[in-house]
Amino acid sequence: MISISTLAFSNQTLDTALFEIEKVCYRAEIFSEGLHDVICGNVDVDLSSYSLSYSLHAPLKNTNLASPIESARLSALNIIQKSASFCQKHDISILVVHPGFLEGGSTFLEAIAAYLKSLPILQKIKEEHGIRLCIENMPKTDLLLFQKPNEIDLTGLEFILDIGHAQTTGTLDEFLKMPVAHYHIHDNNGLTDSHLGFGDGVIGFSRLEQIVSKAKREKAILVAENKTIESALKTAGALKKASAHFFE
């Protein structure tokens, strides 16, 4: 099951993004930022007018589940609650969420503690809305949580593997040992989280075939998450080549 993220169409309306994605595949992931912010913005679109199934990437702005500032952490949880309500309303099963980051001079352990305070509320949101709430691994940086497997508690939640992020942290093989509910596919040079079209970086096609095979077994969705239309189409093409009968 292949999908394309609306991130590649970030300078166009959501309607335009979905119209173009519909020409290529049957699934789209709404990246809820900017012109596509269906949660915190004033974006209104009739999703049922497209022959697409959807997943939703929760907003990034003001969404730090690991903030040591209680008001900020609770505000982030409110955004996730709204995102889950949107998913429930539109029959979207998968909600992608970032785990949080160090903020306000907090230490790693303080950020983990704040995330753990958010965890039972995330579990409750998932249960109340009947969705799959998936936490995404992050790229190499000093500030972001979940750069290594088992770095955070995923109890009651599910895991989305961003293979480009894992490539920057040198942990792709380790992450691939985990159960994966959802994938973000893009490429890079191993150092920078550049979201290149697949084949323009160093991950390699044989690795992609391994990932597609694993995704088949797990019945997981593979999302081409790139920053330009050209690179998204290249990634979707690589996924199609890796497993033509899986492209639907």
Side-chain angles (χ1 to χ4, degrees):
M1 292 178 283
I2 293 174
S3 175
I4 295 177
S5 171
T6 65
L7 175 63
F9 303 83
S10 59
N11 63 345
Q12 301 183 37
T13 68
L14 183 54
D15 267 314
T16 299
L18 299 179
F19 177 78
E20 293 299 327
I21 290 172
E22 191 178 36
K23 296 177 182 178
V24 181
C25 60
Y26 299 129
R27 291 173 175 81
E29 181 159 294
I30 300 170
F31 192 86
S32 190
E33 286 284 328
L35 295 176
H36 304 167
D37 190 351
V38 293
I39 306 303
C40 301
N42 295 314
V43 179
D44 187 21
V45 61
D46 181 7
L47 299 182
S48 65
S49 65
Y50 299 95
S51 300
L52 291 166
S53 296
Y54 301 95
S55 54
L56 177 68
H57 195 307
L60 303 182
K61 186 178 180 181
N62 300 321
T63 311
N64 185 7
L65 297 171
S67 177
I69 305 166
E70 189 69 358
S71 60
R73 189 181 67 82
L74 293 176
S75 177
L77 284 166
N78 184 52
I79 291 172
I80 302 305
Q81 170 82 29
K82 290 180 178 178
S83 300
S85 295
F86 181 91
C87 288
Q88 186 179 46
K89 178 181 178 181
H90 295 282
D91 196 26
I92 296 172
S93 62
I94 290 182
L95 174 61
V96 176
V97 176
H98 284 197
F101 53 91
L102 276 64
E103 179 182 24
S106 62
T107 65
F108 176 80
L109 291 179
E110 288 170 338
I112 289 291
Y115 167 81
L116 289 174
K117 288 177 68 176
S118 298
L119 181 59
I121 303 175
L122 294 173
Q123 294 165 341
K124 183 179 179 181
I125 289 171
K126 182 204 79 167
E127 293 296 335
E128 288 181 345
H129 293 85
I131 62 168
R132 303 173 70 184
L133 199 157
C134 304
I135 304 295
E136 181 179 352
N137 64 299
M138 294 290 101
K140 187 174 183 179
T141 173
D142 293 333
L143 299 178
L144 299 177
L145 299 185
F146 200 21
Q147 297 180 42
K148 300 176 182 178
N150 304 315
E151 191 172 82
I152 64 171
D153 190 347
L154 295 176
T155 301
L157 307 179
E158 296 185 72
F159 172 47
I160 166 175
L161 173 56
D162 186 303
I163 71 166
H165 291 175
Q167 184 68 19
T168 68
T169 57
T171 54
L172 184 52
D173 286 336
E174 295 175 64
F175 273 122
L176 283 170
K177 296 175 183 177
M178 296 174 58
V180 181
H182 199 66
Y183 290 83
H184 281 169
I185 307 296
H186 52 93
D187 215 336
N188 59 56
N189 64 2
L191 301 173
T192 305
D193 181 33
S194 47
H195 286 251
L196 300 176
F198 201 88
D200 291 335
V202 299
I203 295 176
F205 189 73
S206 62
R207 180 64 60 83
L208 184 63
E209 289 180 312
Q210 175 191 355
I211 291 163
V212 168
S213 176
K214 178 175 167 64
K216 286 183 188 179
R217 296 192 301 272
E218 296 165 325
K219 298 182 180 179
I221 295 172
L222 298 145
V223 182
E225 192 189 56
N226 301 96
K227 295 180 179 179
T228 68
I229 298 170
E230 180 182 11
S231 57
L233 293 176
K234 183 166 187 174
T235 298
L239 287 167
K240 182 177 181 180
K241 181 180 177 182
S243 184
H245 65 278
F246 191 52
F247 192 76
E248 54 182 30

